[in-house]
Amino acid sequence: MMKKPSTSPDRVQRATSAGGLRPDARLIRRGKAIAGATAVCLAIVLLVDAMAIGAVALRLGNVAGLLKGGFSFVIDPWMKETLPDTFVPITHFAIWQSTLAAALLALRLVPGIVMLWHFFSLFRMYGRGLVFTASNERHVRSIAWALLGYAVVPLLTHATLYFAGMSSIAFKLEIRQIDAAIAAIILFALSYVVSFGCEIDRDREGFV
């Protein structure tokens, strides 16, 4: 007489632990949906950023310029009649200055792209049912660094534009930069929570 395979709680627990903690199927579907929506947003942002950098690099003065020490763009042709007097077209500057401005604009836009990429990667992992992993900890921490970059980089670009003779404003701090810095601190703390979850999950996998 053949003996049936054991289905004891210990064996079930061992099988479950081998795959780690796995969320509910609805949460996995939501993770995939959020990852897909983020991928679309990332593609749109990349396209818009490339157009903005190209407008500055190609010296399209009817589109790109500087306003109050920051980058400004004319999206609607009818806006030209209502532009403030402080708007300076990019063609007003020398070629080396506009090239520098294009590089600084790219530097300003990098944190947002990095943040969206890691947000997409994080929820793609959630969509695969992987929650407490070293990769997810790295994604959360990278988003925090990107937010911190979003808060700090404008300070560098404003100062550089000032010393390059392109702006009269050497220092400019906006409330959104402070908000980004606070959010970065919160996410750094959250990354440690994820690391604790990883440790618990690894310990759980070791139980027999």
Side-chain angles (χ1 to χ4, degrees):
M1 183 176 179
M2 296 182 62
K3 185 178 180 181
K4 293 183 179 180
S6 174
T7 57
S8 65
D10 290 340
R11 183 176 293 273
V12 173
Q13 182 181 8
R14 194 181 307 119
T16 305
S17 298
L21 295 174
R22 189 171 181 83
D24 184 78
R26 289 179 300 176
L27 296 178
I28 292 178
R29 288 195 298 269
R30 290 173 185 172
K32 291 179 179 179
I34 293 174
T38 305
V40 173
C41 292
L42 179 59
I44 295 173
V45 168
L46 284 172
L47 178 61
V48 173
D49 288 354
M51 293 173 61
I53 296 171
V56 175
L58 296 175
R59 297 172 58 84
L60 302 181
N62 59 335
V63 175
L66 296 180
L67 179 64
K68 295 182 180 179
F71 297 98
S72 182
F73 298 90
V74 180
I75 301 176
D76 192 337
W78 289 275
M79 286 178 57
K80 296 178 182 178
E81 299 179 357
T82 59
L83 285 175
D85 296 335
T86 52
F87 177 81
V88 183
I90 197 65
T91 51
H92 176 79
F93 304 102
I95 294 178
W96 72 268
Q97 289 176 314
S98 61
T99 303
L100 175 64
L104 292 174
L105 177 59
L107 183 63
R108 283 281 299 269
L109 298 175
V110 163
I113 295 174
V114 171
M115 182 169 49
L116 280 175
W117 168 254
H118 284 285
F119 192 80
F120 160 73
S121 301
L122 178 65
F123 276 90
R124 184 176 59 178
M125 294 288 287
Y126 290 161
R128 293 167 54 189
L130 302 174
V131 179
F132 294 112
T133 67
S135 295
N136 287 356
E137 179 186 354
R138 186 170 59 253
H139 290 316
V140 173
R141 194 163 294 169
S142 296
I143 294 173
W145 279 114
L147 282 168
L148 195 59
Y150 181 86
V152 173
V153 168
L155 301 178
L156 301 177
T157 57
H158 281 303
T160 305
L161 289 173
Y162 173 79
F163 286 111
M166 303 178 67
S167 171
S168 59
I169 301 175
F171 178 83
K172 185 177 180 181
L173 181 64
E174 299 180 357
I175 189 66
R176 60 183 177 179
Q177 294 172 248
I178 300 175
D179 292 340
I182 294 174
I185 294 172
I186 294 173
L187 282 183
F188 276 125
L190 182 60
S191 70
Y192 285 106
V193 175
V194 177
S195 68
F196 292 150
C198 293
E199 291 293 334
I200 293 173
D201 203 20
R202 280 193 291 267
D203 292 341
R204 186 171 175 271
E205 289 177 7
F207 291 152
V208 177

